[in-house]
Amino acid sequence: MSAQTFAAVSYPCRLHSGDNALEHLPREVARAKSKRVFILCGRSVATRTPLIARIRSLLGETCAGAYESIRKDAPLEDVQAAVNAARACGSDMLVAVGAGAPIAWGSTPAR
């Protein structure tokens, strides 16, 4: 691993970072036996990068949906909206993408 690549694993969170981090996604979904994966990210990641399209492609039919509007500092109403959206689609796994707010509170809706 280089200084810019790392992995951290703790219950209920597994974190992968670095150039090839998305290569771990199919294995993580299979490990958790997830069938309905929900993506969390901010507007910048959703609108200015190809990441969400790439993740949706990797997930295929297991992609249940996404909440792509997390604002800076993750206001409570964003967290509540993401929780409601994840529950509405019956998600059984959350994938947080980006930095800052989505990563910092990504485990909150799971609780």
Side-chain angles (χ1 to χ4, degrees):
M1 279 191 204
S2 73
Q4 295 179 351
T5 301
F6 65 91
V9 178
S10 67
Y11 184 82
C13 177
R14 296 174 70 85
L15 174 69
H16 295 277
S17 176
D19 293 338
N20 299 315
L22 288 180
E23 291 178 12
H24 299 281
L25 186 56
R27 185 183 72 225
E28 292 293 345
V29 171
R31 181 197 60 76
K33 299 178 182 160
S34 294
K35 303 291 183 212
R36 309 276 304 152
V37 181
F38 192 80
I39 304 165
L40 303 169
C41 70
R43 291 179 187 144
S44 294
V45 169
T47 61
R48 297 181 186 166
T49 74
L51 282 173
I52 302 309
R54 186 170 170 210
I55 292 168
R56 286 181 186 272
S57 177
L58 283 168
L59 292 174
E61 292 181 10
T62 63
C63 184
Y67 185 83
E68 302 173 340
S69 301
I70 301 167
R71 293 173 288 163
K72 183 180 179 199
D73 300 326
L76 180 59
E77 57 268 19
D78 287 0
V79 175
Q80 290 171 328
V83 168
N84 292 337
R87 284 183 179 155
C89 69
S91 67
D92 58 5
M93 175 182 258
L94 301 176
V95 173
V97 183
I103 302 300
W105 70 267
S107 66
T108 303
R111 295 174 194 232

